[in-house]
Amino acid sequence: MIFEGLNEKFQNIFSQLKRKGKLSEKDIQEVNREIKMALLEADVNFKVVKQFTKNIGERAIGQEVLSSLTPGQQFIKIVKDEMTTLLGGEIERMDFVQGRQNIYMMVGLQGAGKTTTAAKLANLLRKEKKFKPLLVACDVYRPAAIKQLEILGEELKIDVYSEHDVKDPVGIAKRGLQKSVEGHYDLVIIDTAGRLQIDEALMDELVNIKEAINPTEILLTVDGMTGQESVNVANEFNRLLDISGVILTKLDGDTRGGAALSITYTIGKAIKYIGTGEKLTDIELFYPDRMASRILGM
Amino acid sequence: MYMGSFDDDFFDELEETLILSDLGAQTSVKITEALRAKIKETRSKSKEEVVGFLKEILVEMVQVETEKPQLPTIMLIVGVNGVGKTTTIAKLSERYKKEGKKVVIAAADTFRAAAVEQLDEWAKRVGVDIIKSTTGADPSSVIFDAIGAAKARKADILICDTAGRLHNKVNLMKELEKISRVINREGEGFSIHNLMVLDATTGQNAINQAQVFHECVEIKGIVLTKLDGTAKGGIAISIIDEMQIPIEYVGIGEKSEDLIDFDPKKFVDLLFE
Ligand SMILES: Nc1nc2c(ncn2[C@@H]2O[C@H](COP(=O)(O)OP(=O)(O)OP(=O)(O)O)[C@@H](O)[C@H]2O)c(=O)[nH]1
Ligand SMILES: Nc1nc2c(ncn2[C@@H]2O[C@H](COP(=O)(O)OP(=O)(O)OP(=O)(O)O)[C@@H](O)[C@H]2O)c(=O)[nH]1
Ligand SMILES: [K+]
Ligand SMILES: [Mg+2]
Ligand SMILES: [Mg+2]
């Protein structure tokens, strides 16, 4: 893989550059080409890579890079800093408010990890914030989707609101919310069916659910292994729903997870949590600097 | 080098198209180089012709001899989490059933919540026999039972669902090896035709997936799912190029009829749409 040994590669290029003493435009281009290849191998979106490397190049010229004893490391540091800032810099937490209802809506492509993540979040926030959670099963399409959420709820001893044989996700969401008020649940997490961002009817359905329940967070769940497509997905879900944040799943794999950078760069919304396994405790806060290291293969 | 009217901009744009389709930087460069050579060789000046060359190069890359499964056959369906394995089994069942074949499916994902119920629901909808056990059971023993049932029922095809697993999880990959050993041992009289399911939205990580799954259970073909979205599935090209494993089927929706044969030309045309 191109990516392994990025560090050494940079050291090499820079020790050559250093001998020359001065960075020419061509030198910068060469370094940028290496970074570009590295980021593409990590699945950062092509358009994001283009803009990102341009910015980095500009920042690197004339900076402390060449006079440094370790210009390669210095340059990588700039890249990593820039990326960390883009990924959100500070850890961004959910918009929780004690004493009022917190209503979260899980959305995303098919198989991204919405249902599993809904259960993980309910469990985590019950423990950390002492919320009383209710899961609401609004995927009326996928075979056994409701059952899946019910089983997860049972396992965690978290209540699940579901309606079998009712094909009306908006209605289920409303009635779930109603139940949560009656039962004094202060955290409601709505699971929705996976859908393509180009599926107008199903995207409309999400808009209708949003209007019906007025969620405090709309969380786009994205598979961490996603390639170039991540920006199209994020753009469209965000355009139609004005999402509040992203959850990146399956980061227990060996993907570099360039989707993280691509998405935050494109829509400017924070990644809030990451999924790191199939167990219901495998969820962690998102740390921008760790993610930057991962994307850069460091 | 003679490039006629094909300047850097042309190649930059080409590279962008290929990379945005997830072909990956290395494969994209390889293709661009092949095209440069072709332009030089033919001294072609027509953009249309050059795009034609490019498509030819790509079609050639993705065209790999497919081995038709010899019936009766056992298919083990593998892949990472959420790619569409279980749904693909419903689709394959429907297809073979329509061809008049006797299909049995095995619910050997005993791990994920409601995985058995999901496959069971599909078995009812499509109308095929299912062999299942309870959640938490040993998947190898489900497969063992299923092979027995397939023999007894004189099935033409036994399709086995497995739990999604990431290829870097050593224990889970060992479990898959064990399942594969059971199939090899018990599947006497059956050919073995394992398929890896690959989500078209997957990036460069798919190459690792294919390599590790192939090392673990010999993969005869790939099913590329979710091509009804806007993702192009270009990473499959890199996989085919590197491993010479063909794409056999393409998933284009969530219903049991949404499975089509892989068509290299159509697939390549889609990259440029
Ligand atoms: N390894 C790993 N697997 C995960 C993670 N999150 C979810 N999964 C798995 O991914 C698969 C899909 O998860 P689901 O929660 O069913 O995904 P979904 O988005 O609800 O799927 P649809 O409802 O079909 O759109 C399952 O096998 C989960 O166990 C994670 O962080 N790591
Ligand atoms: N749009 C689209 N969705 C698909 C396709 N194939 C499967 N899906 C959807 O993808 C999601 C996951 O499919 P599953 O068949 O459950 O995937 P899996 O690989 O069995 O998942 P795990 O067992 O959890 O690893 C479901 O919502 C399916 O409806 C396809 O070709 N197109
Ligand atoms: K996926
Ligand atoms: Mg779901
Ligand atoms: Mg499955």
Side-chain angles (χ1 to χ4, degrees), chain A residues 110-112 223 225-226 250, chain B residues 81-83 199 201-202 226:
Chain A
Q110 289 95 345
D223 185 325
M225 296 176 280
T226 310
K250 308 180 198 176
Chain B
N81 307 82
V83 287
D199 183 331
T201 52
T202 316
K226 311 186 191 176

Side-chain angles (χ1 to χ4, degrees), chain B residues 71-73 102-104 149-158 190:
Chain B
L71 302 187
T73 192
K102 169 85 183 158
V103 181
V104 173
K151 284 178 180 167
R153 298 175 200 188
K154 302 208 174 357
D156 297 301
I157 299 144
L158 169 65
F190 287 78

Side-chain angles (χ1 to χ4, degrees), chain B residues 54-194:
Chain B
L54 173 64
K55 287 187 176 177
E56 275 169 29
I57 291 169
L58 286 163
V59 168
E60 187 150 332
M61 266 175 118
V62 297
Q63 226 152 20
V64 182
E65 195 76 42
T66 22
E67 215 181 286
K68 269 225 148 198
Q70 292 298 316
L71 302 187
T73 192
I74 300 176
M75 295 178 165
L76 185 66
I77 310 299
V78 301
V80 298
N81 307 82
V83 287
K85 294 175 292 299
T86 306
T87 311
T88 296
I89 290 169
K91 294 172 180 179
L92 289 169
S93 302
E94 171 144 321
R95 170 179 281 244
Y96 281 115
K97 196 185 168 210
K98 275 200 179 134
E99 287 174 11
K101 305 290 190 298
K102 169 85 183 158
V103 181
V104 173
I105 60 182
D109 179 354
T110 55
F111 178 77
R112 213 210 60 213
V116 175
E117 288 86 345
Q118 184 188 3
L119 193 67
D120 201 28
E121 171 71 34
W122 277 122
K124 285 201 188 86
R125 287 193 201 175
V126 177
V128 292
D129 293 358
I130 180 168
I131 306 303
K132 60 191 178 191
S133 177
T134 48
T135 300
D138 176 13
S140 299
S141 75
V142 178
I143 300 285
F144 181 91
D145 291 348
I147 296 173
K151 284 178 180 167
R153 298 175 200 188
K154 302 208 174 357
D156 297 301
I157 299 144
L158 169 65
I159 314 177
C160 309
D161 196 11
T162 61
R165 67 199 74 216
L166 296 177
H167 50 284
N168 62 335
K169 302 277 170 77
V170 176
N171 286 342
L172 296 180
M173 295 311 280
K174 283 215 174 107
E175 181 190 84
L176 208 53
E177 267 171 23
K178 187 176 161 201
I179 292 174
S180 183
R181 276 201 303 276
V182 170
I183 293 176
N184 287 329
R185 197 181 61 222
E186 304 297 323
E188 197 187 314
F190 287 78
S191 76
I192 297 170
H193 195 89
N194 302 331

Side-chain angles (χ1 to χ4, degrees), chain B residues 3 21 24 44 60 99 107 126 148 183 193 199 209 214 236 251-252 269:
Chain B
M3 279 296 139
S21 304
S44 175
E60 187 150 332
E99 287 174 11
V126 177
I183 293 176
H193 195 89
D199 183 331
Q209 292 175 21
H214 189 52
I252 50 161
D269 282 341

Side-chain angles (χ1 to χ4, degrees), chain A residues 36 40-41 43 46-47 110 142-144 148 196-197 225-229 250 252-255 278, chain B residues 15-16 19-20 22 81 111-114 118 166-169 201 203-205 208-209 226 228 230 254:
Chain A
K36 182 180 138 187
L40 289 174
E41 286 297 319
D43 292 317
F46 188 85
K47 290 177 178 145
Q110 289 95 345
R142 170 174 165 170
Q148 183 186 0
L196 296 170
Q197 81 280 8
M225 296 176 280
T226 310
Q228 297 290 313
E229 181 69 359
K250 308 180 198 176
D252 45 325
D254 56 7
T255 174
E278 293 189 74
Chain B
E15 186 198 40
E16 178 166 348
I19 288 176
L20 282 173
D22 285 314
N81 307 82
F111 178 77
R112 213 210 60 213
Q118 184 188 3
L166 296 177
H167 50 284
N168 62 335
K169 302 277 170 77
T201 52
Q204 301 306 301
N205 187 248
N208 291 0
Q209 292 175 21
K226 311 186 191 176
D228 46 326
T230 48
E254 299 189 73

